[in-house]
Amino acid sequence: MTEKVYLENPYLMKLNAKIVENKFKNNKFYVILNRTIFYPNMSGGQLGDKGSIDGIEVLDVYEKNDDIIHVLSDLPKNEIVELCINWDIRFQNMQQHTGQHIVSNAFSKLLDFETISFHMTKDFNYIDMKANFLNQNIIDKIESYSNRIVFSNFEIYCYISNHKNLSKIPLRGTPKKEKDIRIVEINNLDFCACGGTHHRRTGEVGLIKLINWYKIKENYRVEFVCGVKALEDYNFKNNIITKLKNDLSININETLESINKIKSELEDYKKSNTILKSKLIDYKTIWLKNNSIKYKNIKIISDAIDEFDLNETRKIINNISCYNNYVMIIGINQNNKSQFIIAKSSNLNIDIKNIFDKLLYSINGNGGGNENIYQGGCNEPNKAQSIVTTGLNLIKEEINR
């Protein structure tokens, strides 16, 4: 069994240990030491430590049968090795995990909501809770209470208790094992069975910020960040607000009001644009019909356009194909792509698929359709006119058959 020194002293950054076992598989070495300061990854929802053993990077750390397995790309030459952990990562992980105890305690004390699970990710943490409801007012109260605990700088104690003594401890949650239970206590305010790394005082957690909450099945999930991650979150969001303030030339207190005004104006523009587009589609339909060419009693429409996208062009073609004796080839230049639609009135017995296939081959494109309408294109820009010209000649050849 590996001695877990990180539980006794989570502030220890270096330690000498002895290799007691190593295995080689999948081009990696799996090393067991007599003792370690490396916290195993995702044990109790906490991220693992990073660092090195005799200068060799530790790729992963996990727990198996009371042993801590260290995964290395190479095997140290000496039996006695030096362990070094990345202190910045350890400190941040302690901030997040200790912060979780504080937040879970706040939900338990104020609302009697039980924390079901805790999970730490690279960017944020979350707890899942048995809760009847949540709203922003509750979230604000929980956040305020949690930060009061932080700012009070209470002492944190970690100690082992056996199952017999548990009845004397007002434990939050039920332990998963029955003996040698490690208790993390926050100054007689919170007691929780936990095997994670924690600070000695709540002040080291830094600011606690609840950043999101939502319902998952019958429970609620609350996302939060602490300390260094809370500062990073603040900086990121503050930079966004500052940029918006500068771009909009407004006072920072007016940012939300200005954005809501812009959203309202945008909705109005969208409505107006939809009406105008509809009128333009009707106008373009009439214009194309009036400018069609008559070839052997068949009306051919050919045009390359930039002002309509593919869906809008299909509306125009659908408007025209309701009439008899029309064949259409429309090219579209948009988003550095060249697209086209070829279609015919349902009363005509013309094989437009044959034309479509030849056009696709000529531009090395792709597409599909049915007997009355096909659409295709390629990733080359500004080829719409040449596609239309080629398509017009192919339509005439098909009519002459």
Side-chain angles (χ1 to χ4, degrees):
M1 184 176 73
T2 308
E3 181 187 350
K4 301 168 184 176
V5 181
Y6 54 79
L7 294 179
E8 302 165 16
N9 184 1
Y11 293 84
L12 195 61
M13 291 181 281
K14 289 186 178 183
L15 180 73
N16 288 333
K18 181 181 178 180
I19 297 177
V20 297
E21 184 181 326
N22 77 83
K23 292 181 181 179
F24 181 74
K25 61 179 180 180
N26 302 324
N27 294 319
K28 296 172 185 175
F29 291 90
Y30 294 75
V31 177
I32 298 176
L33 307 169
N34 67 325
R35 59 181 185 166
T36 187
I37 53 174
F38 278 89
Y39 188 86
N41 190 42
M42 299 318 298
S43 178
Q46 180 176 324
L47 291 173
D49 284 315
K50 302 292 184 183
S52 63
I53 296 178
D54 268 7
I56 302 169
E57 181 186 2
V58 176
L59 304 175
D60 191 15
V61 188
Y62 63 92
E63 186 171 8
K64 183 179 180 181
N65 300 328
D66 287 330
D67 282 322
I68 306 298
I69 315 297
H70 308 75
V71 183
L72 309 175
S73 60
D74 198 5
L75 185 66
K77 296 178 180 179
N78 303 313
E79 184 181 20
I80 304 299
V81 293
E82 183 183 55
L83 285 61
C84 297
I85 63 166
N86 183 315
W87 172 247
D88 289 340
I89 291 175
R90 163 63 66 82
F91 187 78
Q92 288 188 41
N93 288 348
M94 287 201 293
Q95 284 187 319
Q96 310 316 306
H97 203 158
T98 309
Q100 177 263 316
H101 281 236
I102 295 171
V103 172
S104 290
N105 170 68
F107 275 110
S108 178
K109 279 282 196 302
L110 300 184
L111 298 165
D112 199 27
F113 288 173
E114 178 188 351
T115 296
I116 303 169
S117 63
F118 161 64
H119 193 87
M120 192 186 298
T121 75
K122 182 174 68 72
D123 299 314
F124 62 88
N125 323 289
Y126 63 81
I127 53 174
D128 290 339
M129 295 182 306
K130 286 184 180 178
N132 299 324
F133 63 96
L134 276 184
N135 57 38
Q136 192 58 54
N137 184 48
I138 289 174
I139 291 294
D140 291 342
K141 287 181 179 178
I142 295 296
E143 184 176 279
S144 177
Y145 181 91
S146 298
N147 281 292
R148 284 174 59 194
I149 300 299
V150 171
F151 302 150
S152 297
N153 200 26
F154 291 126
E155 284 193 79
I156 300 172
Y157 311 98
C158 299
Y159 48 88
I160 302 297
S161 175
N162 58 43
H163 196 70
K164 293 180 180 179
N165 293 330
L166 282 184
S167 59
K168 303 174 184 177
I169 301 174
L171 207 59
R172 177 174 52 80
T174 304
K176 294 181 179 179
K177 59 181 185 177
E178 296 185 356
K179 63 178 182 177
D180 295 334
I181 298 165
R182 183 170 182 261
I183 306 298
V184 177
E185 175 192 342
I186 301 176
N187 198 45
N188 206 35
L189 294 171
D190 184 61
F191 299 81
C192 183
C194 182
T197 55
H198 298 279
H199 292 298
R200 289 173 179 155
R201 304 192 74 94
T202 59
E204 293 179 81
V205 173
L207 182 72
I208 294 176
K209 183 63 185 174
L210 309 188
I211 57 176
N212 197 13
W213 58 273
Y214 46 92
K215 194 171 179 62
I216 291 187
K217 295 182 180 179
E218 300 302 316
N219 303 311
Y220 278 91
R221 175 167 294 178
V222 177
E223 297 175 358
F224 65 97
V225 284
C226 307
V228 174
K229 290 187 184 297
L231 178 61
E232 291 172 352
D233 181 75
Y234 176 84
N235 285 337
F236 174 73
K237 291 171 181 174
N238 186 65
N239 288 339
I240 292 175
I241 294 295
T242 301
K243 189 174 188 311
L244 285 172
K245 174 187 77 74
N246 293 336
D247 289 347
L248 299 175
S249 299
I250 56 172
N251 186 291
I252 198 165
N253 296 324
E254 301 170 350
T255 305
L256 187 59
E257 181 183 347
S258 297
I259 289 175
N260 286 333
K261 182 180 178 182
I262 290 171
K263 283 175 63 180
S264 177
E265 291 174 349
L266 183 59
E267 287 300 317
D268 291 339
Y269 288 140
K270 283 181 178 178
K271 290 177 184 177
S272 298
N273 185 61
T274 300
I275 295 170
L276 289 172
K277 274 287 187 180
S278 180
K279 290 182 178 179
L280 282 172
I281 286 171
D282 291 340
Y283 172 79
K284 189 69 174 182
T285 300
I286 296 169
W287 186 90
L288 287 172
K289 286 180 64 181
N290 290 340
N291 287 273
S292 62
I293 60 172
K294 199 168 185 181
Y295 189 79
K296 293 189 176 181
N297 294 322
I298 293 176
K299 299 169 185 176
I300 303 174
I301 291 174
S302 62
D303 193 21
I305 60 177
D306 297 316
E307 66 270 33
F308 297 103
D309 63 23
L310 191 65
N311 290 330
E312 292 162 346
T313 303
R314 282 192 70 114
K315 289 180 182 179
I316 294 170
I317 285 177
N318 289 336
N319 288 343
I320 298 174
S321 61
C322 293
Y323 298 91
N324 289 335
N325 300 326
Y326 277 97
V327 179
M328 295 153 277
I329 174 72
I330 306 291
I332 307 131
N333 290 315
Q334 199 170 61
N335 300 326
N336 291 320
K337 292 182 179 180
S338 299
Q339 298 170 299
F340 71 93
I341 300 176
I342 183 168
K344 70 177 181 68
S345 302
S346 58
N347 72 301
L348 293 177
N349 190 24
I350 296 174
D351 186 6
I352 60 170
K353 186 180 186 307
N354 182 43
I355 302 169
F356 175 74
D357 290 340
K358 290 178 180 178
L359 281 174
L360 279 188
Y361 181 79
S362 70
I363 62 173
N364 191 28
N366 56 72
N370 57 52
E371 61 177 346
N372 291 324
I373 183 168
Y374 289 86
Q375 69 182 49
C378 64
N379 290 325
E380 293 184 51
N382 303 317
K383 294 198 71 174
Q385 185 57 61
S386 64
I387 293 172
V388 168
T389 301
T390 303
L392 178 59
N393 293 328
L394 291 171
I395 289 171
K396 289 180 179 178
E397 288 177 10
E398 192 65 32
I399 292 172
N400 286 328
R401 290 189 175 212

